[in-house]
Each structure stands twice: as structure tokens, then as C-alpha cells.
Amino acid sequence: GAGVSQSPSNKVTEKGKDVELRCDPISGHTALYWYRQSLGQGLEFLIYFQGNSAPDKSGLPSDRFSAERTGGSVSTLTIQRTQQEDSAVYLCASSLDGGGGAEQYFGPGTRLTVT
Amino acid sequence: ILNVEQSPQSLHVQEGDSTNFTCSFPSSNFYALHWYRWETAKSPEALFVMTLNGDEKKKGRISATLNTKEGYSYLYIKGSQPEDSATYLCAFFVDSSYKLIFGSGTRLLVRP
């Protein structure tokens, strides 16, 4: 079946512009996660959704970052007034439920470059 | 601050060698430990999710063990093949916030 998809695959933007990254999880997966990997760094947790709700937004790096999920499916991660330090690969993952025993299925990522 | 450590950072082995890497994590408030394989230009792929102390899991030539009391997990690859070349990530699940804290990974290169 279809896996997790993300769009765009690559995005180059100028500093100060807003960007929107999209994630389509596997159908039926109630949990959705956003991560990012900056150059030379490990995978960093950003936010988790159970259904349409995000119980904990403390992983978002700054108030320029926001995320929403609608219909228990598609999620968008929005970065306002992008900065060069936002350059990273942004990965989305979904799982059947939000419990720790459920493996996560990752999308191919969006590579964001802020010039 | 929760910290997940992996060692070694990188490993080069010959085809046919067996190898293992280590993941260290907080021993308190354990809920689950995940292992993922991340090949270049692909998405991370789940290998194992381990929840019980003493758990041993196996998938083909790859196996993993878990010691929650002392806070470590080992990943073993028997008879490494070039297609095993990838970065192997472990991640500690934080029950209170539903987040996975990833280690920085072990990069494995298997030479033919």
C-alpha cells in the first residue's frame, strides 16, 4: 500500500519568507510525527499529533514554527520568516497509534534550504 | 535532559564479518526502545520495537537485545553484506510526551 508521502521533496527559499511543508500519512494511522535533521545533527523531534490534536508543542524550535493536522490525516508544518538555521531535512512519520510500542513509518522528507 | 548515546559513530567492516553496536539510554521511566535503519537517499525503516527487559528480537541476520535496568541495547549483524550499509538509529520513547529521542546513529559501511 501507499506509504507516507511528503511534499515538496526540495524547497529553496529566501530568508524571511514563509514555507509550508506537507505530510500525507498512511491511511488509518492515527499518530503523526514531525522531525528534522540539521546538517551534522541527529533526528530532532518537533511535534506529535494524535488525531487532530497536538498534546505537546514544546518540541517546536520557536514560535515561528506551527503545525496542524486536519481530518485526522494530512498535516502541514509552517515555518514563518525563515532563517538560515531552519535549513534541514524535515521528516514526517506516522504510526497506527501513539503508543511507544508502535513502529513509525517515515516519509522521504523535505529538504529545506534557506538562502 | 534525556540523552541517547550510540557507539561507535561509524564502523567499516568486510563482507562476511559480524558486528555489533551499542545504544545507551536512561534506565528510569523506560517504556520502549526503537531501532531504525536509514539507508542513503531512503527513509528510515523500523527494525525493532522493544519494550520488555531481556527482550531479544531477530529479523534475518539482524538481532537486538535489551537491558532496561542498566539502560543499554545491542544490535548485532551476522555475516554483514554490502546492502547492510546504512546508518542504524536507536530511539528512546518518552511515555509522558509521546516523543522519540534519537541517538546520533552508527554509520555502517560493509566493503565487498
Side-chain angles (χ1 to χ4, degrees):
Chain A
V4 178
S5 61
Q6 292 185 245
S7 61
S9 54
N10 276 287
K11 176 74 178 179
V12 180
T13 190
E14 289 180 357
K15 179 180 169 181
K17 302 269 188 174
D18 297 352
V19 294
E20 249 188 29
L21 312 181
R22 176 187 167 110
C23 172
D24 277 274
I26 292 173
S27 177
H29 281 194
T30 62
L32 185 146
Y33 308 81
W34 282 97
Y35 299 90
R36 75 173 176 182
Q37 185 181 42
S38 305
L39 190 63
Q41 304 295 312
L43 270 176
E44 175 191 4
F45 170 88
L46 297 178
I47 193 167
Y48 152 71
F49 287 92
Q50 181 59 45
N52 292 335
S53 302
D56 182 0
K57 299 182 180 180
S58 62
L60 295 174
S62 77
D63 58 9
R64 295 185 294 104
F65 286 70
S66 62
E68 65 173 17
R69 188 179 185 194
T70 54
S73 180
V74 172
S75 176
T76 54
L77 178 70
T78 302
I79 310 173
Q80 295 179 307
R81 305 181 303 283
T82 52
Q83 303 294 311
Q84 287 185 328
E85 62 262 28
D86 300 334
S87 296
V89 175
Y90 289 81
L91 286 165
C92 172
S94 69
S95 65
L96 267 176
D97 60 54
E103 62 187 44
Q104 296 186 13
Y105 295 80
F106 283 81
T110 294
R111 182 176 295 276
L112 175 67
T113 304
V114 182
T115 61
Chain B
I1 296 177
L2 293 172
N3 213 26
V4 178
E5 303 277 352
Q6 290 190 248
S7 63
Q9 280 191 337
S10 67
L11 199 52
H12 292 193
V13 302
Q14 283 297 128
E15 181 176 354
D17 287 351
S18 293
T19 187
N20 65 85
F21 350 113
T22 305
C23 173
S24 301
F25 52 86
S27 56
S28 58
N29 299 317
F30 177 84
Y31 191 91
L33 188 84
H34 294 218
W35 280 99
Y36 290 85
R37 174 170 58 199
W38 196 355
E39 295 178 65
T40 304
K42 294 188 177 179
S43 310
E45 174 192 2
L47 287 172
F48 306 114
V49 178
M50 309 178 81
T51 56
L52 297 174
N53 185 41
D55 243 358
E56 289 189 26
K57 298 226 174 181
K58 188 174 179 183
K59 185 183 284 191
R61 294 177 292 97
I62 304 178
S63 60
T65 61
L66 179 69
N67 183 323
T68 61
K69 296 188 186 310
E70 296 182 37
Y72 64 84
S73 176
Y74 293 136
L75 188 81
Y76 300 91
I77 303 179
K78 186 177 175 182
S80 303
Q81 299 296 308
E83 58 264 30
D84 296 329
S85 298
T87 297
Y88 291 82
L89 297 167
C90 71
F92 178 79
F93 182 81
V94 182
D95 188 29
S96 58
S97 59
Y98 295 90
K99 63 171 73 170
L100 276 180
I101 308 295
F102 280 85
S104 54
T106 293
R107 181 174 291 190
L108 174 67
L109 178 64
V110 183
R111 297 194 197 91

